[in-house]
């Protein structure tokens, strides 16, 4: 079977802790075997993430992004308006976007299916705000402090991370929370997820030691969405309020915004490839 793509390109990060030369070789081999050898490789941090004009100039029709969720987000924003498609592969810490599009599968298997024509091409829903777009989730509130602990653990190990954990716990329990405009209850964090039906808002629950433990393990060990939570709203627009600036995690990248903060449902300006 002829591959539906003839000029794929790859974005990777040679300095990432999850970068693996053997996997890079495997990605290159799969492309060659399917008759679609890589037309370009953009290896961060030495190379820049290509924009739509660069991809068009090189006649790229498939952008394979083998990195973490934050870099996939940046690649999608750079490629806005391009007529090709983005294929996220698991290459970071959490790989939430890859899991959403492909399930928990290996990069080589995902790529092989796509180059056999088994993928589905479509835009994806996003959460949009003045600070940017999120393709998987925005976590808003003081509990995002756990994301810094997680990154410290990934970079420096458990001992260093344990030194930051008490501050994250204090922020989660005592810092000003965040709430949906028009509602009275404050939450340590609210998770905003784009869906075809609107933005789903879930408040994380930390009402006792067991809840706090579950959240700490969820943030440090994998998907922060696995901690206890309650559905609080769904809508095309969600406005969040707090008595303090609102800490945010956009697809794994930490930011901060003033209160109130408005989030609207949108659609990605570039197509993605899904296999699940």
């Amino acid at each position: 079977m002829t591959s539906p793509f003839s000029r794929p390109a790859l974005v990777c990060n040679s300095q990432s802790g999850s970068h693996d030369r053997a996997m890079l070789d495997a990605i290159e081999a799969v492309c060659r075997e399917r008759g679609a050898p890589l037309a370009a490789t953009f290896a961060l941090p030495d190379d820049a993430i290509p924009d739509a004009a660069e991809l068009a100039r090189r006649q790229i029709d498939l952008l394979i992004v083998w990195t973490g969720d934050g870099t996939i987000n940046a690649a999608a924003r750079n490629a806005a308006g391009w007529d090709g498609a983005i294929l996220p592969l698991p290459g970071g810490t959490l790989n939430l976007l890859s899991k959403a599009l492909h399930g928990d599968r290996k990069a080589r298997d995902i790529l092989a299916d796509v180059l056999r024509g088994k993928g589905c091409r479509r835009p994806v829903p996003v959460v949009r705000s003045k600070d940017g777009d999120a393709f998987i989730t925005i976590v808003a509130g003081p509990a995002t402090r756990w994301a810094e602990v997680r990154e410290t653990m990934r970079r420096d190990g458990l001992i260093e991370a344990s030194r930051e954990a008490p501050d994250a716990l204090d922020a989660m329990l005592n810092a000003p929370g965040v709430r949906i405009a028009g509602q009275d209850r404050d939450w340590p964090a609210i998770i905003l997820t784009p869906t075809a039906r609107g933005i789903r808002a879930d408040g994380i629950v930390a009402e006792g030691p067991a809840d706090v433990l579950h959240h700490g393990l969820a943030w440090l060990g994998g998907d922060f969405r696995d901690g206890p939570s309650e559905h609080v709203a769904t809508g095309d627009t969600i406005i969040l309020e707090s008595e303090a600036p609102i800490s945010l995690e956009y697809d794994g990248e930490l930011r901060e915004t003033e209160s109130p903060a408005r989030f609207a449902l949108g659609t990605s300006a570039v197509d993605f490839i899904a296999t699940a």
Side-chain angles (χ1 to χ4, degrees), residues 224-245:
F224 48 80
R225 298 171 298 181
D226 290 339
S229 64
E230 292 181 12
H231 177 233
V232 292
T234 298
D236 289 340
T237 300
I238 299 288
I239 297 175
L240 299 183
E241 299 175 337
S242 178
E243 306 309 319

CSV table of all heavy atoms in Angstrom, one decimal, residues 224-245:
chain,number,residue,atom,x,y,z
A,224,PHE,N,-2.3,13.8,36.1
A,224,PHE,CA,-2.8,14.5,37.2
A,224,PHE,C,-4.4,14.4,37.3
A,224,PHE,O,-5.0,14.6,38.3
A,224,PHE,CB,-2.4,16.0,37.2
A,224,PHE,CG,-2.6,16.6,35.8
A,224,PHE,CD1,-3.9,17.0,35.4
A,224,PHE,CD2,-1.6,16.7,34.9
A,224,PHE,CE1,-4.1,17.6,34.2
A,224,PHE,CE2,-1.8,17.3,33.7
A,224,PHE,CZ,-3.0,17.7,33.3
A,225,ARG,N,-5.0,14.0,36.2
A,225,ARG,CA,-6.4,13.9,36.1
A,225,ARG,C,-6.9,12.7,36.9
A,225,ARG,O,-8.1,12.5,37.1
A,225,ARG,CB,-6.9,13.9,34.7
A,225,ARG,CG,-6.6,15.1,33.9
A,225,ARG,CD,-6.9,15.0,32.4
A,225,ARG,NE,-6.0,14.0,31.8
A,225,ARG,CZ,-6.1,13.6,30.5
A,225,ARG,NH1,-6.9,14.3,29.7
A,225,ARG,NH2,-5.3,12.7,30.0
A,226,ASP,N,-6.0,11.8,37.3
A,226,ASP,CA,-6.4,10.6,38.0
A,226,ASP,C,-6.8,10.9,39.5
A,226,ASP,O,-7.3,10.0,40.2
A,226,ASP,CB,-5.3,9.6,38.0
A,226,ASP,CG,-5.1,9.0,36.6
A,226,ASP,OD1,-6.0,9.1,35.8
A,226,ASP,OD2,-4.0,8.5,36.3
A,227,GLY,N,-6.5,12.1,40.0
A,227,GLY,CA,-6.8,12.4,41.4
A,227,GLY,C,-8.3,12.6,41.6
A,227,GLY,O,-9.1,12.8,40.6
A,228,PRO,N,-8.8,12.6,42.8
A,228,PRO,CA,-10.3,12.8,43.1
A,228,PRO,C,-10.7,14.2,42.5
A,228,PRO,O,-10.1,15.2,42.7
A,228,PRO,CB,-10.4,12.8,44.6
A,228,PRO,CG,-9.1,12.1,45.0
A,228,PRO,CD,-8.1,12.4,44.1
A,229,SER,N,-11.9,14.2,41.9
A,229,SER,CA,-12.4,15.4,41.3
A,229,SER,C,-13.9,15.4,41.2
A,229,SER,O,-14.5,14.3,41.3
A,229,SER,CB,-11.8,15.7,39.9
A,229,SER,OG,-12.2,14.7,39.0
A,230,GLU,N,-14.5,16.5,41.0
A,230,GLU,CA,-16.0,16.6,40.8
A,230,GLU,C,-16.3,17.5,39.5
A,230,GLU,O,-15.6,18.5,39.3
A,230,GLU,CB,-16.7,17.2,42.0
A,230,GLU,CG,-16.7,16.4,43.2
A,230,GLU,CD,-17.4,17.1,44.4
A,230,GLU,OE1,-18.1,18.1,44.1
A,230,GLU,OE2,-17.2,16.6,45.5
A,231,HIS,N,-17.2,17.0,38.7
A,231,HIS,CA,-17.6,17.8,37.6
A,231,HIS,C,-18.4,19.1,38.1
A,231,HIS,O,-19.3,18.9,38.9
A,231,HIS,CB,-18.5,17.0,36.6
A,231,HIS,CG,-19.0,17.8,35.5
A,231,HIS,ND1,-20.4,17.8,35.2
A,231,HIS,CD2,-18.4,18.6,34.6
A,231,HIS,CE1,-20.5,18.6,34.1
A,231,HIS,NE2,-19.4,19.1,33.7
A,232,VAL,N,-18.0,20.3,37.6
A,232,VAL,CA,-18.6,21.5,38.1
A,232,VAL,C,-19.3,22.3,37.0
A,232,VAL,O,-20.2,23.1,37.4
A,232,VAL,CB,-17.6,22.4,38.9
A,232,VAL,CG1,-17.2,21.7,40.2
A,232,VAL,CG2,-16.4,22.7,38.1
A,233,ALA,N,-18.9,22.1,35.8
A,233,ALA,CA,-19.6,22.9,34.7
A,233,ALA,C,-19.1,22.4,33.4
A,233,ALA,O,-18.1,21.8,33.2
A,233,ALA,CB,-19.2,24.4,34.8
A,234,THR,N,-20.0,22.6,32.4
A,234,THR,CA,-19.6,22.4,31.0
A,234,THR,C,-20.2,23.6,30.2
A,234,THR,O,-21.4,23.9,30.4
A,234,THR,CB,-20.1,21.1,30.4
A,234,THR,OG1,-19.6,20.0,31.1
A,234,THR,CG2,-19.8,20.9,28.9
A,235,GLY,N,-19.4,24.2,29.3
A,235,GLY,CA,-19.9,25.3,28.5
A,235,GLY,C,-19.0,25.7,27.4
A,235,GLY,O,-17.8,25.3,27.4
A,236,ASP,N,-19.5,26.5,26.5
A,236,ASP,CA,-18.6,27.0,25.4
A,236,ASP,C,-17.6,28.0,25.9
A,236,ASP,O,-16.6,28.3,25.3
A,236,ASP,CB,-19.4,27.6,24.3
A,236,ASP,CG,-20.2,26.6,23.5
A,236,ASP,OD1,-19.8,25.4,23.5
A,236,ASP,OD2,-21.2,26.9,22.8
A,237,THR,N,-18.0,28.6,27.1
A,237,THR,CA,-17.1,29.6,27.7
A,237,THR,C,-17.1,29.3,29.2
A,237,THR,O,-18.2,29.1,29.8
A,237,THR,CB,-17.6,31.1,27.5
A,237,THR,OG1,-17.6,31.3,26.1
A,237,THR,CG2,-16.7,32.1,28.2
A,238,ILE,N,-15.9,29.4,29.8
A,238,ILE,CA,-15.8,29.2,31.3
A,238,ILE,C,-14.9,30.4,31.8
A,238,ILE,O,-13.9,30.7,31.2
A,238,ILE,CB,-15.0,27.9,31.6
A,238,ILE,CG1,-15.8,26.7,31.2
A,238,ILE,CG2,-14.8,27.8,33.1
A,238,ILE,CD1,-17.1,26.4,31.9
A,239,ILE,N,-15.4,31.1,32.8
A,239,ILE,CA,-14.7,32.2,33.4
A,239,ILE,C,-14.3,31.8,34.8
A,239,ILE,O,-15.1,31.3,35.6
A,239,ILE,CB,-15.5,33.5,33.4
A,239,ILE,CG1,-15.9,33.9,32.0
A,239,ILE,CG2,-14.8,34.6,34.2
A,239,ILE,CD1,-16.8,35.1,31.9
A,240,LEU,N,-13.0,31.9,35.1
A,240,LEU,CA,-12.5,31.5,36.4
A,240,LEU,C,-12.1,32.8,37.2
A,240,LEU,O,-11.6,33.8,36.6
A,240,LEU,CB,-11.2,30.6,36.2
A,240,LEU,CG,-11.4,29.3,35.5
A,240,LEU,CD1,-10.1,28.5,35.5
A,240,LEU,CD2,-12.5,28.5,36.2
A,241,GLU,N,-12.3,32.7,38.5
A,241,GLU,CA,-12.0,33.8,39.4
A,241,GLU,C,-11.2,33.3,40.5
A,241,GLU,O,-11.2,32.2,40.9
A,241,GLU,CB,-13.3,34.5,39.9
A,241,GLU,CG,-14.2,35.1,38.8
A,241,GLU,CD,-15.5,35.6,39.4
A,241,GLU,OE1,-15.9,35.1,40.5
A,241,GLU,OE2,-16.1,36.4,38.7
A,242,SER,N,-10.4,34.2,41.1
A,242,SER,CA,-9.6,33.9,42.3
A,242,SER,C,-9.3,35.2,43.0
A,242,SER,O,-9.3,36.3,42.4
A,242,SER,CB,-8.3,33.2,42.0
A,242,SER,OG,-7.6,32.9,43.1
A,243,GLU,N,-8.9,35.1,44.3
A,243,GLU,CA,-8.4,36.3,45.0
A,243,GLU,C,-7.0,36.6,44.8
A,243,GLU,O,-6.4,37.6,45.4
A,243,GLU,CB,-8.7,36.1,46.5
A,243,GLU,CG,-10.1,35.8,46.9
A,243,GLU,CD,-11.1,36.7,46.3
A,243,GLU,OE1,-10.9,37.9,46.2
A,243,GLU,OE2,-12.2,36.2,45.8
A,244,ALA,N,-6.3,35.8,44.0
A,244,ALA,CA,-4.9,36.0,43.6
A,244,ALA,C,-4.7,35.7,42.2
A,244,ALA,O,-5.6,35.2,41.5
A,244,ALA,CB,-4.1,35.0,44.5
A,245,PRO,N,-3.5,36.1,41.6
A,245,PRO,CA,-3.3,35.7,40.2
A,245,PRO,C,-3.4,34.1,40.1
A,245,PRO,O,-3.1,33.4,41.0
A,245,PRO,CB,-1.8,36.1,40.0
A,245,PRO,CG,-1.6,37.2,40.9
A,245,PRO,CD,-2.5,36.9,42.2
